[in-house]
Amino acid sequence: MKVLSLRFSRACDSYEEWALPQKYSAQRLKALEKIEGSALDIGCGTGILSEGLDNVVGIDIAFGMAKAYKEKFGNVVLGDAHYLPFKDKSFDYVISNFALHWTDLKRTIPEAIRVCKKCFLCAIPVDGSLPQFGFPFPKVEEVLSLLEGKVKLRHLFLEDVPIPFSGWDLIKFFHYTGSSFNPTAKGGIISRKRIESMIYEIDKAVFRVLFFSCEVGK
């Protein structure tokens, strides 16, 4: 997780300019529910998902991202989604966008549900995203199995979210959003040579994103 933290910290200044799929996904996710009351943004990054929310706390493992978030929203915790430092049912809403696929879902989804009082909203890239990338995106069935019996689903759908870059700009997208991290690669980082070869392998780059909102039981 240290390598992941460093990659995203280094990308904090360029992230919002390049994270166009993440921005689209954030708006799509927030449209699912009217978020009123307190909210926790897991893997908050620079705060793309928190925009427009009145009572929100962010948590991120990357110092650079947490610092950028604090400058915009004030309330942020430098912490790990696997061990949320909050009491049970601390927040009315728990939200997360393009973050949990970097984690062990068997630990982070139960944690998100634990600290949630009303509704959990999440957008997560799943299997079928960037197959050339070799990243172990979770399968839809895996995500749903962790929700089964614990929450009541309100909205659930898959959508292919385009990455509007190609050629060298696609390489820049991976670099400037910190997304070149891959736990299956040596040292956790995909080599520049491998990334450059993707230019010729990828026609239209997309993230296959699973969107859902669910009511958390009392």
Side-chain angles (χ1 to χ4, degrees), residues 76-107:
V76 71
V77 174
L78 182 64
D80 191 336
H82 297 89
Y83 309 98
L84 294 175
F86 307 106
K87 296 180 180 180
D88 294 0
K89 302 187 185 304
S90 292
F91 301 91
D92 294 316
Y93 292 81
V94 173
I95 58 179
S96 185
N97 179 56
F98 265 77
L100 294 188
H101 61 295
W102 300 108
T103 72
D104 179 355
L105 294 179
K106 293 179 181 178
R107 296 160 62 189

Side-chain angles (χ1 to χ4, degrees), residues 14-47:
S14 57
Y15 185 81
E16 290 202 20
E17 179 182 352
W18 288 86
L20 302 186
Q22 291 88 336
K23 287 181 178 180
Y24 171 84
S25 176
Q27 295 304 313
R28 196 84 165 93
L29 183 64
K30 286 189 289 187
L32 297 183
E33 306 284 350
K34 188 173 183 180
I35 301 174
E36 297 180 316
S38 60
L40 174 67
D41 186 347
I42 299 178
C44 62
T46 59

Side-chain angles (χ1 to χ4, degrees), residues 155-167:
H155 301 277
L156 175 70
F157 61 91
L158 278 169
E159 182 175 337
D160 285 345
V161 177
I163 302 174
F165 303 109
S166 60

Side-chain angles (χ1 to χ4, degrees), residues 170-191:
L170 182 59
I171 292 178
K172 291 178 182 178
F173 167 79
F174 290 125
H175 177 72
Y176 289 128
T177 61
S179 302
S180 57
F181 176 82
N182 189 326
T184 65
K186 185 177 180 180
I189 302 297
I190 296 179
S191 68

Side-chain angles (χ1 to χ4, degrees), residues 92-173:
D92 294 316
Y93 292 81
V94 173
I95 58 179
S96 185
N97 179 56
F98 265 77
L100 294 188
H101 61 295
W102 300 108
T103 72
D104 179 355
L105 294 179
K106 293 179 181 178
R107 296 160 62 189
T108 54
I109 285 183
E111 275 290 273
I113 293 171
R114 178 183 67 78
V115 302
C116 183
K117 187 186 302 182
K118 294 182 179 179
C119 193
F120 174 34
L121 295 84
C122 185
I124 179 170
V126 293
D127 188 44
S129 302
L130 293 167
Q132 302 87 350
F133 194 61
F135 186 90
F137 289 100
K139 296 184 182 299
V140 173
E141 295 77 12
E142 176 187 358
V143 179
L144 296 182
S145 69
L146 295 169
L147 299 174
E148 188 175 3
K150 300 179 180 65
V151 299
K152 180 180 179 182
L153 285 169
R154 292 165 58 90
H155 301 277
L156 175 70
F157 61 91
L158 278 169
E159 182 175 337
D160 285 345
V161 177
I163 302 174
F165 303 109
S166 60
W168 289 103
D169 280 345
L170 182 59
I171 292 178
K172 291 178 182 178
F173 167 79

